[in-house]
Amino acid sequence: MIGVEDLSLDKLFVNNGSRGGVCKMGGGVMMMGEWKDIPMELLLRIASLVDDRTVIVASGVCSGWRDAISWGLTRLSLSWCKRNMNNLVLTLAPKFTKLQVLTLRQDLPQLEDVGVETIANHCHELQDLDLSKSFKLTDRSLYALAHGCPNLTKLNISGCSAFSDSAVAYLAERCRNLRVFNLCGCVKAATDKALKAIGYYCNRLQTVNLGWCDKVGDEGVMSLAYGCPDLRALDLCGCVLITDESVIALANNCPHLRSLGLYFCQYITDRAMYSLAQSRVKNKHEMWASMKKHRYEDEGLMNLNISQCTALTPPAVQAVCEAFPALHTCPERHSLIISGCLNLTSVHCACSVQAHRARVLHPAH
């Protein structure tokens, strides 16, 4: 079996004159008259094993290679591009029309609306798009994606501070298959107005990041809870306006919720914690019914961040910890995060208590 390190163009070919070569694969040889004679399957196999920059270079070798890669390439990342990403997108998007996953994360803002519009005009099969930290983009980009990429299931626009809630609402109405939506830091875009539209149209959502979107309130979170019953992970860290009503709605309507971030949500009180704990008991009847159909895993909350939620008391948080065995305060499996809450130091998970008892019963000699 040939290794990845052997699948470079230099090692695949033995020079056989100026125009041809011998292709070596798996111990056998294949005679070819010219580079363009490489079978499409082999070319795509090579493309899958080299980095994205090499794939782009290979697509420019000849028209045959360009066509083969254009038809076969479904995943591409340009995050390595430190300058001129927008020009690169304008060149590549019309060629790579079969892309399903495209990562355009930037350290410095390069991408412009015309680049996203070109993607939307040519890459209609796109499902996963990362535009994080694209500070130059405006609503034009979201409107273009809404029309050109209706099959999006995963969209990351974190840090895109210029987007408006109207554009997000427009996108939600047309991209109804969204399952993962990252709006972290999108202060203008993530409002109750936008979340109402998301909750109404994107009923398949499973993961939503609203971190540091300080205009999000109970009305928006409750719309998500009512409209997206399959929600698995929700980050509300820094959403300073939300109260117990948001958590109660999530506890009562999202039985599959596994991760909840409430960092610095200082209006959250014991009432929210007890609603989470009680939801575990309430959902047991549904759990047994669903288990018969093999559709439900009895896991419950596995991650909960309540750091800086200073209104909480130990009994309420302990109730949550006991209701959800996957929540841990022990260092090895730290999934109940309570930093900054000095009054919660007495809260411990079951394994932490067991470890303490073991040390008491069997002290080290």
Side-chain angles (χ1 to χ4, degrees), residues 295-314:
R295 293 185 305 184
Y296 190 89
E297 293 180 4
D298 184 18
E299 295 175 342
L301 270 179
M302 303 178 71
N303 291 280
L304 178 62
N305 187 345
I306 50 175
S307 298
Q308 301 295 337
C309 295
T310 53
L312 300 177
T313 66

Side-chain angles (χ1 to χ4, degrees), residues 111-117 120 129-132 134 136-150 152 155-158 160-175 178 181-183 186 188-190 194 198:
L111 195 61
E112 300 173 10
D113 288 326
V114 64
V116 178
E117 288 171 338
L129 177 61
D130 186 346
L131 298 174
S132 52
S134 298
K136 290 184 177 182
L137 298 185
T138 71
D139 286 350
R140 279 174 53 191
S141 292
L142 292 188
Y143 289 130
L145 291 174
H147 288 287
C149 304
L152 281 173
L155 179 61
N156 186 347
I157 57 171
S158 60
C160 298
S161 53
F163 291 150
S164 71
D165 54 359
S166 296
V168 170
Y170 188 88
L171 177 94
E173 184 177 357
R174 287 156 181 81
C175 297
L178 278 174
F181 202 177
N182 190 340
L183 297 114
C186 298
K188 291 170 57 179
I198 293 171

